[in-house]
Amino acid sequence: MAAPRLTSYLTAPVSAAPLAMFRIIFGGMMLASILRFMLKGWVTDLYVLPKVYFPYYGFEWVKPLGEAGMYALFGLMALSALGIMLGLFYRWSSVLFFLSFTYVELIDKTNYLNHYYFVSVVAFLMILVPAHRHFSLDVLRKPASWVSHVPRWAVLIFQLQLGLVYFYAGVAKLNPDWLLEAMPLRYWLPAHTHLPVIGQLLDKVWVAYLFCWFGAFYDLTIPLFLSWRKSRLLAYATVVVFHVLTAVLFQIGMFPYIMMVSTLIFFSAAFHEGILNWLRSFGRVHLPYKPAIAKVSLQPVLLNLLALHFILQVLVPWRFMLYPDKLFWTEQGYRFSWRVMLMEKTGTAFLYVKDPETGGETEINNRDYLTVAQEKQVSTQPDMLLQFAHIIREDFKSKGIPEPEVRAEVYVSMNGRGSRLLIDPSANLAAEKESFRPKPWILPFAEQHLQQEAVGQK
Amino acid sequence: MKAFRNYTFAILAGFALLTACGSDGDSGPKTDYDRQAMLANYADNLIVPGYEAFKIESTELSTAIASFTANPTEATLANARKEYLDAYKVWQGVSVYGFGPADEQMLRTNLNSYPTSASKIESNISAVSYDLQAAANLDAKGFPAMDYLLYGKPTDGELIVLYTSGTNAAKRKKYLQDVANLVKQRAEATYSGWTTGNYAKTFKESAGTAVGSAVGNLVNEFNFEIDLTKRGKVGIPSGRLSANIARPETVEAYYSKNSLELLKRALIAEKASFMGVGLSGTNGPGLDDYLDHVNARYNNNLLSDAIEAQFDAAIAAINGVTVPLSQAVTSNPQAVSKLYEELQKLIVLTKTDMPSALGVAITYNDNDGD
């Protein structure tokens, strides 16, 4: 590291209690999430039943493993989450959890959620820290491994990561639709007028504005207020209220609860030690009198790796600037950037396959290939449209048409704007290739006005 | 410290506003749009009366079939055909409500899977026994099967012969009656599901717009039905799904040549459903009013107006098709294309713009709004 002072700050010993607590919380929440996912039958619905999948560019080799394989993988994931929570065989558990969870997420981008990405990132960071050397079963197995202190960076990286998530979620809200039009909350909130107490308010436009502005302010500033001792309690109370509200209003599963407990990492060492001591009192466990400081082997390498990680975390959400046109429209560079609850985007896609030899063109019934969820995502996201076109191309090739042409007539409504064509309906997607380059067949947002006549087959 | 004070103030002010207005809102009806009233309108004035009418029609159909099979004459045949067409038209009016009891009865697939398989029907008739509840017989029963059984010959005389002196005449009569009775049974079961089964209450009290909520069901089934109208009634016969090679034999009501009339009935019913127009003709609170409430717009006008106009354009395009659809797909493809395009525009509005404005979810899975 260039700055020795920074290095000594980062490596200075701090209490291991916050990290151990974070490990327990993260492992516990993951275990609960995985069990919930399995109990809801989503393993079958999302990874067994679909006929086709939409892997990420460069990760096409990631495939579902069949019914038995997927349940085995989820079983392994649950076990490794349990291992993280208990701090048992921690290195194996954390590596296995990261790999199994990330593998499942890479199978189908239909199921992309910022919160799953967050879990993968945190799981990766968990591999790097000595979180199992305090208040863990590994310490019971090997008492000599116990430490009272860990290097500061081991706690700081989680605070930094959480802070980045909130901050970027806030930055993403600084757009005209959110701030000036109160979209999409203006459309989403009235669906909840049946709720007690606040229900009737959700019908009011000014309430949507209040939620939007407060949401943006909250996301941008909460990491700061959580870090600052004097504002911490109040800030945490806001975290709870904010996430409870989002849990009630939106269909976002475990995410609010995960955030509510993860942000406890901002609390003082004394707070975490208090909780752990209280837990210890049940087991009549006594701590050694002599403090022990964790010595992390390869620490300089890890610090460089983490520096790289955070540089990427800071830069990746800005990659959309390398692409032309409006991000919400093209979604080039949209994922992996903490853009949550920002868009109401709905589409209808008609795909056509042409046999160039006969000139005959066949309209596709999307549901012959796709699940409801896949159709919804395909209908608004150009990269998934391209993948779907290729799926159709391969299917028709296997039916004996050597060079099928595939085009898509796709109408998208975004944040209350009338539906309009998303991509060039005459582009032969069968001949287009996926890459990180801008997709020239996406129609520009500004110029594209409402389509008065159906394109259809002419 | 100043930032902290401002922050505290902002939060407290926010909550104070919320709670202040919260208690204010409790004191009187402040909500401009009453979703519960809309659901009550759908249940009380559209759906329950719709299924009641359908139940009555299917009973009359079953009775008319009984008179025909008891005494196959030109008069009883004409009466059976009339009742058949009446019931089929009323069916088009309730087909759009394919959730709840209708879903339990799998009404749409049990009653209207077309094209029907004439060969399957014939082999069932000549077989010792058949099971009309079997999934394999979906295309050998319901209205499409009756269409074949009542119109499957070029002349009335030839058809009546099948039921008098033809081989298997007795078995054919039984088959026709079985098919008619099954339609009646399913219609009755659906109606009682809504009434004595209390589904109407469940529907009216359902909150929110999530998947499985009343509004969610209404909107999702509405779109499913319009999609089916476009694809099944017009798209497949005109060759849209088969490399532009027309498939006239796949039209709805192929033998009786009533495809266009049924299509028109379906679109009129879908439009009435959108607008919340009850069977009595009264325009109550419907999806259109809900859209107006959230001020959903299309092309600087109200989205509800755009959808209504597009329904009218699609219905008008039916009139441009002057011969039976099974003929028109080959003899008058331009008019059929025009009709198809109007339906395409309609579904873009109802499946893209409408659910978006109403915040209706289509899947149970978690999402984070992107």
Side-chain angles (χ1 to χ4, degrees):
Chain A
M1 276 248 160
R5 279 177 62 190
L6 180 63
T7 313
S8 66
Y9 173 78
L10 291 175
T11 54
V14 296
S15 165
L19 183 60
M21 271 283 285
F22 187 77
R23 187 203 77 223
I24 297 166
I25 285 171
F26 181 72
M29 290 309 279
M30 288 306 107
L31 183 60
S33 301
I34 295 160
L35 294 178
R36 168 177 176 266
F37 198 93
M38 293 170 86
L39 287 174
K40 286 190 171 240
W42 290 350
V43 178
T44 305
D45 287 352
L46 303 184
Y47 298 109
V48 179
L49 293 182
K51 295 175 193 148
V52 298
Y53 295 91
F54 293 83
Y56 291 87
Y57 182 50
F59 291 90
E60 290 81 1
W61 49 273
V62 178
K63 302 242 187 281
L65 306 174
E67 185 166 21
M70 286 315 295
Y71 275 96
L73 187 60
F74 271 84
L76 192 69
M77 204 193 294
L79 272 182
S80 54
L82 181 69
I84 291 176
M85 183 176 95
L86 300 175
L88 182 61
F89 306 115
Y90 179 75
R91 289 295 175 209
W92 280 104
S93 295
S94 56
V95 169
L96 268 179
F97 179 78
F98 169 71
L99 290 179
S100 55
F101 190 92
T102 308
Y103 186 91
V104 169
E105 291 324 309
L106 289 174
I107 292 174
D108 195 339
K109 53 171 93 141
T110 304
N111 308 319
Y112 173 80
L113 289 186
N114 283 291
H115 115 239
Y116 292 150
Y117 173 52
F118 172 73
V119 168
S120 274
V121 169
V122 171
F124 169 71
L125 295 177
M126 289 297 279
I127 298 173
L128 310 179
V129 293
H132 59 310
R133 297 177 67 179
H134 193 82
F135 204 86
S136 72
L137 293 186
D138 278 344
V139 170
L140 282 187
R141 284 170 55 231
K142 292 186 223 163
S145 70
W146 179 83
V147 294
S148 58
H149 289 75
V150 293
R152 180 178 274 130
W153 61 262
V155 178
L156 204 61
I157 53 173
F158 297 102
Q159 298 174 339
L160 194 55
Q161 188 65 52
L162 273 163
L164 273 172
V165 171
Y166 276 116
F167 182 73
Y168 272 113
V171 170
K173 289 183 173 68
L174 302 180
N175 72 73
D177 279 8
W178 183 269
L179 297 174
L180 304 181
E181 306 288 336
M183 285 300 285
L185 289 190
R186 182 201 283 246
Y187 274 1
W188 288 347
L189 294 182
H192 303 276
T193 46
H194 58 282
L195 291 175
V197 190
I198 58 167
Q200 303 221 322
L201 285 170
L202 300 176
D203 225 10
K204 309 273 180 262
V205 173
W206 66 263
V207 174
Y209 276 101
L210 182 75
F211 273 55
C212 284
W213 283 75
F214 176 70
F217 178 75
Y218 167 86
D219 278 341
L220 285 169
T221 58
I222 200 72
L224 216 68
F225 288 116
L226 278 172
S227 306
W228 189 25
R229 188 179 53 80
K230 284 184 176 172
S231 58
R232 191 171 295 140
L233 260 183
L234 183 69
Y236 191 71
T238 338
V239 167
V240 172
V241 171
F242 179 83
H243 285 300
V244 165
L245 258 180
T246 59
V248 171
L249 292 175
F250 309 117
Q251 203 177 324
I252 47 180
M254 296 288 291
F255 185 60
Y257 307 103
I258 292 174
M259 290 310 264
M260 267 188 259
V261 288
S262 296
T263 39
L264 288 173
I265 187 92
F266 284 97
F267 278 65
S268 69
F271 170 82
H272 290 282
E273 278 160 8
I275 293 177
L276 292 184
N277 279 330
W278 179 70
L279 290 173
R280 281 185 188 105
S281 67
F282 293 101
R284 307 226 170 97
V285 182
H286 295 288
L287 286 174
Y289 295 109
K290 221 175 140 196
I293 298 167
K295 284 206 174 55
V296 180
S297 51
L298 296 172
Q299 184 160 267
V301 179
L302 283 184
L303 285 179
N304 282 308
L305 179 69
L306 286 168
L308 181 68
H309 168 80
F310 282 105
I311 290 170
L312 282 176
Q313 282 291 314
V314 168
L315 292 180
V316 162
W318 298 105
R319 74 188 187 284
F320 75 93
M321 298 180 86
L322 301 172
Y323 294 98
D325 209 13
K326 198 175 163 71
L327 168 69
F328 287 6
W329 183 246
T330 70
E331 294 201 39
Q332 299 185 113
Y334 191 88
R335 299 186 192 98
F336 311 113
S337 310
W338 318 118
R339 297 196 173 88
V340 282
M341 313 304 295
L342 281 181
M343 280 199 302
E344 170 58 54
K345 204 173 176 191
T346 314
T348 306
F350 308 97
L351 282 98
Y352 308 99
V353 197
K354 192 181 205 166
D355 179 353
E357 282 176 25
T358 64
E361 197 174 50
T362 298
E363 185 179 330
I364 297 298
N365 180 13
N366 297 339
R367 293 297 310 283
D368 288 348
Y369 297 85
L370 308 178
T371 64
V372 173
Q374 286 174 330
E375 189 187 16
K376 179 179 161 69
Q377 301 296 338
V378 162
S379 302
T380 56
Q381 295 172 39
D383 60 337
M384 293 183 74
L385 270 167
L386 183 63
Q387 282 176 298
F388 185 36
H390 291 174
I391 288 166
I392 293 168
R393 177 189 67 196
E394 295 313 308
D395 187 40
F396 275 73
K397 270 188 181 175
S398 73
K399 287 177 183 164
I401 297 174
E403 290 295 328
E405 292 173 14
V406 183
R407 60 190 191 87
E409 178 183 354
V410 186
Y411 297 87
V412 167
S413 162
M414 191 185 85
N415 279 353
R417 295 176 185 84
S419 54
R420 57 199 73 194
L421 284 173
L422 175 67
I423 67 169
D424 178 358
S426 63
N428 177 15
L429 298 179
E432 297 291 339
K433 287 191 173 55
E434 178 61 296
S435 76
F436 287 126
R437 293 168 173 284
K439 296 173 170 52
W441 37 269
I442 300 176
L443 292 174
F445 178 74
E447 297 161 30
Q448 195 54 42
H449 297 299
L450 303 185
Q451 188 72 15
Q452 298 302 329
E453 289 299 320
V455 176
Q457 295 171 278
K458 289 195 175 121
Chain B
M1 203 59 202
K2 189 161 172 255
F4 176 54
R5 223 180 293 127
N6 291 345
Y7 181 67
T8 317
F9 176 75
I11 291 163
L12 290 180
F15 288 132
L17 271 170
L18 279 178
T19 32
C21 301
S23 49
D24 180 36
D26 286 339
S27 59
K30 279 233 158 178
T31 316
D32 302 316
Y33 193 71
D34 189 347
R35 208 164 38 219
Q36 252 52 45
M38 175 181 89
L39 293 175
N41 179 45
Y42 275 104
D44 298 340
N45 301 324
L46 283 89
I47 303 176
V48 173
Y51 281 123
E52 187 177 15
F54 184 50
K55 186 187 79 160
I56 294 168
E57 288 299 336
S58 64
T59 307
E60 287 176 12
L61 168 60
S62 173
T63 311
I65 295 290
S67 333
F68 169 65
T69 51
N71 179 23
T73 63
E74 290 211 1
T76 53
L77 176 62
N79 184 45
R81 284 175 169 176
K82 177 190 166 292
E83 294 297 343
Y84 151 81
L85 188 58
D86 285 350
Y88 210 168
K89 284 193 213 163
V90 174
W91 157 249
Q92 304 290 337
V94 287
S95 177
V96 64
Y97 306 111
F99 48 86
D103 185 38
E104 277 166 34
Q105 294 298 320
M106 295 197 302
L107 217 49
R108 207 186 260 121
T109 43
N110 273 316
L111 264 50
N112 200 21
S113 290
Y114 58 90
T116 194
S117 169
S119 60
K120 206 179 275 179
I121 294 172
E122 290 299 339
S123 77
N124 280 342
I125 289 172
S126 50
V128 184
S129 69
Y130 47 82
D131 175 12
L132 286 181
Q133 307 287 13
N137 274 328
L138 279 178
D139 57 355
K141 64 174 173 179
F143 289 109
M146 296 174 81
D147 192 66
Y148 169 72
L149 290 164
L150 292 175
Y151 293 87
K153 287 283 171 193
T155 66
D156 297 0
E158 284 170 88
L159 193 99
I160 290 167
V161 165
L162 288 177
Y163 290 88
T164 48
S165 53
T167 41
N168 292 328
K171 283 173 156 185
R172 186 176 299 272
K173 287 188 215 175
K174 179 176 180 300
Y175 194 83
L176 176 60
Q177 191 68 60
D178 281 353
V179 170
N181 290 349
L182 264 181
V183 170
K184 178 175 161 240
Q185 273 173 31
R186 298 274 178 188
E188 281 170 353
T190 309
Y191 175 69
S192 57
W194 273 91
T195 50
T196 47
N198 261 334
Y199 189 78
K201 186 167 178 285
T202 315
F203 179 84
K204 285 192 253 183
E205 287 170 5
S206 159
T209 60
V211 170
S213 68
V215 174
N217 282 337
L218 204 57
V219 171
N220 289 332
E221 281 297 315
F222 178 77
N223 279 318
F224 188 83
E225 183 74 9
I226 294 181
D227 190 43
L228 217 55
T229 303
K230 166 186 172 265
R231 185 156 32 86
K233 292 189 204 287
V234 185
I236 293 174
S238 63
R240 298 291 171 150
L241 284 84
S242 50
N244 303 130
I245 297 159
R247 298 178 59 200
E249 75 286 357
T250 61
V251 295
E252 188 178 30
Y254 172 72
Y255 297 97
S256 64
K257 299 184 169 58
N258 285 316
S259 322
L260 289 172
E261 190 166 0
L262 294 174
L263 168 62
K264 192 183 266 183
R265 286 297 289 237
L267 279 171
I268 289 170
E270 286 155 19
K271 184 185 169 195
S273 177
F274 172 69
M275 301 187 62
V277 175
L279 253 64
S280 63
T282 313
N283 188 350
L287 291 172
D288 61 334
D289 305 290
Y290 196 3
L291 284 175
D292 292 349
H293 170 64
V294 296
N295 195 26
R297 306 194 76 81
Y298 183 81
N299 208 9
N300 295 324
N301 296 310
L302 286 173
L303 174 60
S304 63
D305 288 345
I307 292 177
E308 202 186 325
Q310 192 52 43
F311 265 117
D312 293 338
I315 292 166
I318 299 174
N319 298 333
V321 186
T322 47
V323 286
L325 187 59
S326 52
Q327 256 171 273
V329 291
T330 45
S331 69
N332 194 3
Q334 294 83 1
V336 178
S337 280
K338 169 78 177 150
L339 169 60
Y340 192 70
E341 276 155 28
E342 297 298 351
L343 290 172
Q344 176 119 325
K345 280 159 70 180
L346 177 64
I347 193 146
V348 168
L349 293 176
T350 59
K351 203 177 166 185
T352 309
D353 296 71
M354 182 169 83
S356 156
L358 300 184
V360 170
I362 60 157
T363 50
Y364 285 100
N365 304 346
D366 297 339
N367 70 69
D368 59 5
D370 57 6

